[in-house]
Amino acid sequence: MPTTTASEILAKWLADALDKAGKSQSELARDIDLSSQKINRMVQGAREISGVELIKISDALNIPIPSLSGNATPEQASPAPLSTSETQPQRGATGNFSEEAYDKAFTAALEIEKREFGGNMPLQDFINAVTIGLKRQKN
């Protein structure tokens, strides 16, 4: 069985997520402030999805980010939907961190993405940067 690339996994995930959410590519584009053409290219697998875009899409469509394991099939890449309580966090403190802590960590990760990766930081690196930022605030 051929290996599925991260781009293929994300393209399938995005197409499936749009279908499940009942949203058009244009609606998603408006929701996350991108052009419809960029969303279409993502769905076709012709455009990489940045870490920030992936997080925005996940939030806008209320669906978890898929596993990007290099040997996953597209069917394995679509995780089970989250329950309502998991997908609608309460305002204020979330887990052990305040919204301000998340905002600081996310902003720092965005700065690193822009400075060191030209706005195209790999998703796992972006997640690691946010995690490190949260851990530093906790200590």
Side-chain angles (χ1 to χ4, degrees):
M1 177 184 284
T3 300
T4 304
T5 67
S7 292
E8 292 168 332
I9 291 170
L10 291 175
K12 174 149 180 36
W13 169 79
L14 179 53
D16 290 348
L18 284 166
D19 285 343
K20 287 178 186 175
K23 282 196 174 190
S24 69
Q25 292 178 16
S26 297
E27 289 171 319
L28 176 62
R30 280 190 300 274
D31 289 347
I32 65 170
D33 198 28
L34 284 178
S35 71
S36 295
Q37 293 81 8
K38 286 182 181 179
I39 299 296
N40 183 266
R41 291 182 66 222
M42 289 176 187
V43 170
Q44 300 304 317
R47 181 182 184 277
E48 295 290 325
I49 303 174
S50 75
V52 173
E53 292 167 342
L54 188 58
I55 292 167
K56 287 180 179 180
I57 291 167
S58 174
D59 185 51
L61 298 178
N62 202 22
I63 189 165
I65 296 171
S67 167
L68 297 179
S69 172
N71 57 6
T73 64
E75 292 76 26
Q76 294 167 326
S78 299
L82 297 175
S83 71
T84 303
S85 63
E86 292 172 304
T87 59
Q88 297 176 351
Q90 296 179 356
R91 285 293 190 202
T94 306
N96 295 327
F97 301 100
S98 67
E99 283 187 45
E100 182 180 346
Y102 281 108
D103 289 344
K104 285 181 181 179
F106 191 76
T107 299
L110 287 174
E111 290 172 8
I112 293 168
E113 180 182 40
K114 183 178 178 183
R115 182 180 65 240
E116 297 181 22
F117 293 88
N120 291 310
M121 180 188 281
L123 177 61
Q124 191 59 51
D125 291 343
F126 187 84
I127 293 169
N128 289 341
V130 171
T131 302
I132 290 167
L134 288 171
K135 286 180 179 178
R136 284 185 180 163
Q137 290 183 62
K138 191 173 184 177
N139 295 332

